[in-house]
Amino acid sequence: MHKQNYQDILAQVQTPTRYAGNEINAVKKDLDQVDLTFGLIFPDLYEIGTSHFGLQILYSILNQQENIAAERFFAPAPDMEQLMEKHNIPCLSMESQKELASFDIIGISLLYELNFTNILTLLSLSKIPFYADKRDETFPLIIGGGPCAFNPEPLADFFDAFVIGDGEEVVKLIANQVIEFKKQGDGNKKNLLRLLSKITGVYIPSFFTPQWDGAGIQTLIPLYEDYTKIKRAFLPELSLDNFPMDPIVPYAKPVHDRLRLEIARGCSRGCRFCQAGIIYRPVRERSTQDLLTIAKASLKSTGYSEMSLLSLSTGDYSNLSRLMQQLLTINPGQCNSISLPSIRAEKLTPELMQLIKTVRKTGFTIAPEAGTQRLRDIINKNLTEESIDATVKNALELGWKNIKLYFMMGLPFEEMADLEGICRLSTHLAAAYAKGKKNINVSVTSFIPKAHTPFQRHSQMTLSQTKEKLQYLKDNLRHKKTKLKWQDPQMSLLEGVWARGDRKLAPLLVAAFENGCRLDGWTDHFNFNLWQKAFDDTGIDPLFYTSRKRSEDEPLPWDHIDSGVTDTFFKKEFQKAKEKSLTLDCREHDCSGCGVCNFKTIQPVIHGEQPIPQGTPVPLICPATQLPDDAFFKFDLIFSKLDKARFFGHLELATIIQRAIKRAGLTVKYSQGFNPSMRLSFENALPLGMESEEETAFIFLEKGSRPEEIKNALNKVLPTGLNIIDCRHHSKFRQEDNRQSAYRIRFSTPCMDQKKIEQFLELSEFMVEDISKKGKIRKTDLRQAVQTICPIDQTQIEMVLKQYNERNIRPTEVLAKYFNIDEGSIKTARIKKIKQG
């Protein structure tokens, strides 16, 4: 029943493909035939969650085991949440629409503090109690993991367990331990948690009792003598075994709509504010050969045309030039490209510069972080103004149009001269290099002291200090070629509270959720007034967690979490910051003594530079093997778009078919130019939500391609609901009357009055006005556009429409403007364009 209601409400939401599932490479198993079901939650909107590479990794690893089924969940947008509450529909998985509460394990990705209320949204909709001690053995085991798990205390009361560190091996150990526990028939949850606590990287919050002193400082008392510290889980190397070779190809508009290749994990540059640089140590590069193997297989299985190279510092990959050169030669003629977001000036070798000239330019990012060399030395940025200048100059000369500069304000030991430096440096770069259509975008965020960094004990700016410094930048950064962007200071304050909080914050999260806080990381949804009310209601002072500097002997909420980096190293780095002394990159210099590596099982994995041999030609984005124009023939693809496929918008549909053509291995014609596009067009653009028994697309494919083989090849790789009915050679002499269309419309409740239909058909005209896309008033005679309306039964009609003044009239216009059918009934109606005759 939930599944049917769920499909019905999708027609009423803004972006139904966020929830429809049915994506290419999604894994669908018979859940009754597996030993364990694992729900993977990303607590943000679909387009953010599907772009997160870690979720894809865990999804792939778990589903590789035949006896485990992993399925995905994402936070609903407000319109969807309201409809789910109204119709009493719980959170359902993307793959099989299985209820979240029925899964054995729920794993929640903790990437960003302002996603925390979304976790409660998902639990609330699913009728799962928030607090772990309120959930008995009939509820799923709830586990969190990701960067925010390195200070798990603010969420500790809600979770049964956390994974600290790399999850690839730990998630398998947890899953198999739970399977074994289920088989033994021991229903005691505490016994299961005790078994899980033996796994390296697993933190069980209930095995630690919090205490607070008179000043409100939390300490944790362990229940077991053998379980007092939780060591981070390490993945020794990046191998093919833990890489998703067939990643899910999402719908809607994912923020990263391309193939993502994780070329390395970890960063050794040692920026003192950077948590990621600590918790992902040491650097582990993936081999060039493995990356080529992955790229070839994944491009084939996804149909992507663009690749992006993932790493905390892409330019530091030791074989970047050779890797890019070889990636660009994959699938000649398929117009594959590489997205390269940033590269330091000192890494720009002649070979790499030639290669960069061929890649598609989106945005280029450089993060000076501070406006003066003094402050960059304090934070150990290891970036000089000369290098920044050269990097921006080179990037603009190599074809980038927009440069993004990232800065922080409120860093430790910041002075007014550092803010002045942001304005001076940005203005200089804009004046010197941003010519013509080129621009410099300056993004400023507030420094937030994060756990497990040398600055973890430092204070965060108050709200008033942040606003004052931001206003200074607004007043003084005014070059016409610069654009200043900033994070809402109130969002930064809230992030700081959760980043350094303890278990006293649990009631605050519940209060904020009950006040209506949702999607707090989105500016258009964030409401600080609701958070302020939650602070007032719970008596929690945010400044206790943010603006207070913590002494060296004060216990920290995350002291029991061992990131691998020693406290001695953090103290030494903070002292060096005071002295403006640099710590050099251990990739190229001596070991810095951070404590992560044991140089046996845990150590840097660097594959060494392999220069491109002299004389090797530089490939183009669309290699010269593209066939000449006369090698292609135009084909008509006749296809149906039914059931779940009705939720594809027109642009979405075009992308789906383009990628299917690539997955099918068909040789297709591309346009000319630097950004070539596939020569694909459509006879009509169907509106979102409408089905059709027969539509036509036009595509140029290699001469000699057989229509029946094209049809069969595409049907093997298209998602459910899209089907190629026929493929034929295009003929400009084929005459078909496309000036009228027939529709079958089924309403959820009786809406159409027989007498009103007869009255409409008796009219000689029915004129309406609307505004065209060009902003002009447009008059339409709907009666002349309607050939006939025939009732089928109380809830179904058929309507035949004709073109009016070269315009295709949609049945929804007639239903709304003459019959006054309300918007809700129109949205929930199933409208199908049917084949006439």
Side-chain angles (χ1 to χ4, degrees):
M1 187 65 180
H2 284 318
K3 291 183 181 181
Q4 184 57 51
N5 291 341
Y6 195 66
Q7 293 300 316
D8 290 342
I9 68 173
L10 291 188
Q12 303 176 58
V13 299
Q14 185 177 15
T15 311
T17 44
R18 282 173 171 163
Y19 317 101
N22 195 33
E23 305 108 316
I24 296 299
N25 295 333
V27 179
K28 299 178 183 179
K29 296 184 179 182
D30 184 344
L31 302 187
D32 294 327
Q33 301 301 314
V34 297
D35 296 326
L36 185 80
T37 54
F38 206 124
L40 292 172
I41 288 179
F42 193 95
D44 206 333
L45 296 182
Y46 173 87
E47 48 266 48
I48 302 295
T50 53
S51 297
H52 177 55
F53 189 65
L55 188 75
Q56 291 266 27
I57 290 175
L58 296 178
Y59 182 84
S60 174
I61 286 174
L62 289 167
N63 279 314
Q64 283 174 13
Q65 286 195 212
E66 291 184 6
N67 63 335
I68 298 175
E71 300 195 345
R72 297 160 300 136
F73 297 81
F74 302 96
D79 59 344
M80 184 63 168
E81 182 187 351
Q82 290 169 13
L83 286 167
M84 291 172 73
E85 287 182 335
K86 178 180 177 181
H87 296 279
N88 196 30
I89 298 174
C91 292
L92 302 177
S93 63
M94 298 291 291
E95 284 73 12
S96 63
Q97 280 75 59
K98 181 180 174 69
E99 294 182 31
L100 178 63
S102 66
F103 278 74
D104 296 312
I105 301 177
I106 297 174
I108 304 179
S109 297
L110 304 174
L111 271 292
Y112 183 33
E113 291 84 356
L114 297 193
N115 284 344
F116 289 175
T117 54
N118 304 335
I119 298 171
L120 301 192
T121 300
L122 289 153
L123 297 181
S124 176
L125 288 169
S126 302
K127 305 295 189 291
I128 298 174
F130 295 158
Y131 289 95
D133 61 6
K134 302 297 183 184
R135 297 191 298 266
D136 60 21
E137 289 77 8
T138 63
F139 288 100
L141 191 72
I142 298 183
I143 303 173
C148 294
F150 279 82
N151 177 23
E153 291 310 289
L155 297 177
D157 288 348
F158 305 115
F159 282 77
D160 297 303
F162 292 90
V163 171
I164 312 300
D166 297 321
E168 286 92 337
E169 297 298 330
V170 179
V171 73
K172 291 187 288 187
L173 293 172
I174 291 173
N176 289 317
Q177 180 66 78
V178 173
I179 291 172
E180 184 63 30
F181 187 79
K182 286 175 63 181
K183 289 179 179 178
Q184 292 173 359
D186 182 352
N188 190 306
K189 184 176 178 179
K190 187 172 182 179
N191 291 342
L192 173 60
L193 295 177
R194 185 66 173 134
L195 290 170
L196 294 180
S197 72
K198 304 294 184 182
I199 300 172
T200 300
V202 174
Y203 168 46
I204 310 296
S206 60
F207 290 175
F208 291 79
T209 302
Q211 294 182 351
W212 289 271
D213 64 16
I217 307 302
Q218 175 183 294
T219 55
L220 293 176
I221 308 301
L223 298 186
Y224 300 100
E225 291 183 358
D226 63 346
Y227 190 64
T228 60
K229 279 268 189 181
I230 292 79
K231 291 188 175 182
R232 170 190 155 197
F234 287 89
L235 188 68
E237 61 179 353
L238 305 181
S239 66
L240 291 175
D241 295 337
N242 50 50
F243 196 98
M245 302 289 277
D246 300 316
I248 292 172
V249 183
Y251 299 136
K253 294 181 180 179
V255 293
H256 298 299
D257 196 13
R258 58 183 72 94
L259 177 64
R260 287 152 294 162
L261 297 175
E262 185 191 28
I263 63 174
R265 190 175 301 180
C267 176
S268 54
R269 289 192 171 268
C271 299
R272 292 174 179 133
F273 59 84
C274 182
Q275 186 187 56
I278 296 294
I279 66 175
Y280 292 115
R281 291 186 180 202
V283 174
R284 289 146 290 167
E285 290 187 347
R286 202 178 294 274
S287 74
T288 304
Q289 187 55 53
D290 279 359
L291 287 166
L292 292 172
T293 300
I294 292 165
K296 289 175 183 177
S298 297
L299 287 171
K300 184 177 181 180
S301 70
T302 61
Y304 280 126
S305 296
E306 187 175 357
M307 298 169 273
S308 63
L309 308 182
L310 296 185
S311 171
L312 289 174
S313 184
T314 302
D316 287 335
Y317 183 75
S318 56
N319 284 313
L320 187 59
S321 295
R322 175 175 285 273
L323 174 63
M324 288 182 61
Q325 191 267 344
Q326 294 181 342
L327 287 174
L328 286 169
T329 61
I330 296 175
N331 297 337
Q334 290 295 313
C335 294
N336 295 321
S337 67
I338 299 174
S339 172
L340 190 66
S342 181
I343 187 92
R344 286 183 178 227
E346 63 267 25
K347 298 291 182 179
L348 284 171
T349 62
E351 297 89 352
L352 188 55
M353 290 179 73
Q354 283 297 109
L355 286 164
I356 287 175
K357 288 180 180 178
T358 71
V359 304
R360 188 167 298 167
K361 310 298 190 299
T362 51
F364 187 96
T365 301
I366 181 170
E369 309 294 0
T372 64
Q373 194 61 50
R374 181 195 70 86
L375 191 52
R376 284 193 293 274
D377 289 346
I378 287 173
I379 64 176
N380 203 52
K381 186 61 187 178
N382 279 307
L383 190 63
T384 65
E385 188 159 327
E386 292 74 19
S387 177
I388 297 168
D389 191 285
T391 301
V392 171
K393 179 176 182 289
N394 286 328
L396 292 174
E397 289 178 350
L398 288 169
W400 271 277
K401 301 288 190 243
N402 293 300
I403 303 294
K404 299 177 185 177
L405 299 177
Y406 280 98
F407 293 96
M408 281 190 286
M409 54 184 180
L411 285 161
F413 312 111
E414 181 183 74
E415 299 173 355
M416 200 62 203
D418 301 304
L419 289 180
E420 295 169 358
I422 293 175
C423 300
R424 181 193 56 76
L425 178 59
S426 302
T427 301
H428 159 70
L429 294 172
Y433 307 119
K435 309 297 183 183
K437 296 183 178 180
K438 299 176 180 180
N439 295 286
I440 304 288
N441 293 322
V442 181
S443 180
V444 178
T445 59
S446 299
F447 164 68
I448 298 169
K450 291 291 180 92
H452 305 283
T453 66
F455 293 155
Q456 63 184 348
R457 294 180 179 274
H458 206 275
S459 60
Q460 181 177 335
M461 286 188 299
T462 63
L463 203 53
S464 60
Q465 288 172 330
T466 306
K467 291 179 178 179
E468 181 181 344
K469 292 183 178 184
L470 182 57
Q471 189 60 51
Y472 174 86
L473 294 176
K474 291 178 183 179
D475 292 340
N476 290 276
L477 186 54
R478 291 182 171 274
H479 192 279
K480 63 180 181 180
K481 303 298 287 186
T482 63
K483 184 177 181 180
L484 179 64
K485 298 180 180 180
W486 58 89
Q487 185 185 40
D488 185 331
Q490 295 171 332
M491 296 173 77
S492 300
L493 171 67
L494 196 60
E495 183 180 342
V497 170
W498 290 104
R500 301 209 294 174
D502 57 20
R503 295 196 189 188
K504 283 192 291 187
L505 293 183
L508 174 68
L509 190 66
V510 175
F513 170 78
E514 292 174 346
N515 288 343
C517 294
R518 305 287 191 278
L519 299 171
D520 299 298
W522 295 76
T523 303
D524 51 344
H525 294 291
F526 179 68
N527 186 335
F528 189 68
N529 290 333
L530 297 179
W531 276 100
Q532 190 61 61
K533 183 177 183 302
F535 282 117
D536 294 340
D537 291 344
T538 57
I540 291 173
D541 180 6
L543 300 185
F544 177 81
Y545 296 101
T546 57
S547 302
R548 184 175 58 82
K549 190 171 183 178
R550 308 186 184 196
S551 64
E552 284 196 9
D553 59 350
E554 178 182 322
L556 297 172
W558 51 88
D559 275 345
H560 57 303
I561 304 298
D562 182 0
S563 67
V565 178
T566 66
D567 192 51
T568 299
F569 178 78
F570 290 143
K571 291 177 179 178
K572 183 177 72 173
E573 283 297 294
F574 189 76
Q575 182 60 36
K576 292 179 75 174
K578 289 181 177 180
E579 299 166 357
K580 299 185 283 294
S581 175
L582 295 175
T583 298
L584 300 179
D585 189 340
C586 65
R587 287 171 63 119
E588 300 167 354
H589 300 86
D590 293 339
C591 172
S592 60
C594 73
V596 161
C597 298
N598 60 19
F599 299 101
K600 294 177 182 178
T601 58
I602 305 171
Q603 59 189 335
V605 179
I606 312 295
H607 288 285
E609 188 171 355
Q610 300 173 5
I612 299 175
Q614 286 190 347
T616 303
V618 175
L620 303 174
I621 285 181
C622 194
T625 51
Q626 170 76 45
L627 297 172
D629 285 354
D630 59 5
F632 296 93
F633 199 93
K634 190 175 183 179
F635 289 83
D636 297 350
L637 298 177
I638 316 302
F639 67 95
S640 60
K641 179 174 177 272
L642 303 171
D643 299 323
K644 284 187 177 182
R646 72 187 187 274
F647 297 126
F648 298 142
H650 180 64
L651 294 179
E652 203 169 3
L653 176 66
T655 300
I656 289 167
I657 292 180
Q658 287 172 7
R659 289 173 177 167
I661 288 168
K662 295 193 72 171
R663 287 195 301 276
L666 301 175
T667 303
V668 63
K669 184 178 181 180
Y670 287 84
S671 64
Q672 301 297 313
F674 190 71
N675 292 325
S677 59
M678 191 179 290
R679 293 289 302 276
L680 172 71
S681 59
F682 293 82
E683 188 173 61
N684 290 302
L686 279 181
L688 179 70
M690 184 180 289
E691 298 175 274
S692 179
E693 293 180 342
E694 187 174 286
E695 294 295 307
T696 304
F698 308 104
I699 186 72
F700 288 85
L701 298 172
E702 188 176 11
K703 279 184 179 178
S705 302
R706 297 182 179 182
E708 189 67 18
E709 292 178 355
I710 295 169
K711 170 187 165 183
N712 293 337
L714 285 173
N715 280 332
K716 288 179 181 177
V717 295
L718 282 169
T720 304
L722 290 179
N723 185 61
I724 306 298
I725 302 168
D726 191 18
C727 176
R728 59 197 181 207
H729 291 98
H730 179 76
S731 172
K732 60 184 177 181
F733 301 109
R734 183 178 285 119
Q735 295 294 322
E736 295 185 3
D737 187 2
N738 295 311
R739 289 173 295 177
Q740 68 177 33
S741 302
Y743 301 88
R744 182 172 293 129
I745 304 167
R746 187 178 78 242
F747 298 97
S748 55
T749 57
C751 289
M752 299 293 287
D753 181 83
Q754 175 69 36
K755 288 184 178 180
K756 197 160 186 179
I757 293 175
E758 293 172 357
Q759 290 170 359
F760 177 76
L761 295 175
E762 290 173 359
L763 296 174
S764 59
E765 68 174 19
F766 184 74
M767 301 298 296
V768 296
E769 290 185 356
D770 63 358
I771 306 297
S772 70
K773 291 182 179 179
K774 295 181 180 179
K776 296 181 179 179
I777 296 176
R778 179 173 58 185
K779 294 184 178 182
T780 303
D781 186 346
L782 289 184
R783 178 62 192 89
Q784 292 302 310
V786 177
Q787 182 168 308
T788 184
I789 301 176
C790 299
I792 298 174
D793 55 35
Q794 287 187 329
T795 59
Q796 289 191 88
I797 62 169
E798 282 192 8
M799 184 185 298
V800 179
L801 299 175
K802 301 177 291 186
Q803 281 190 347
Y804 182 85
N805 290 343
E806 304 294 321
R807 188 167 79 89
N808 290 321
I809 306 300
R810 300 298 185 192
T812 51
E813 293 182 63
V814 181
L815 296 174
K817 293 180 179 177
Y818 178 79
F819 293 96
N820 297 317
I821 306 297
D822 65 272
E823 184 181 8
S825 296
I826 291 176
K827 282 186 174 181
T828 55
R830 291 288 290 267
I831 302 177
K832 181 188 293 184
K833 188 178 175 185
I834 59 177
K835 184 178 180 180
Q836 298 184 72

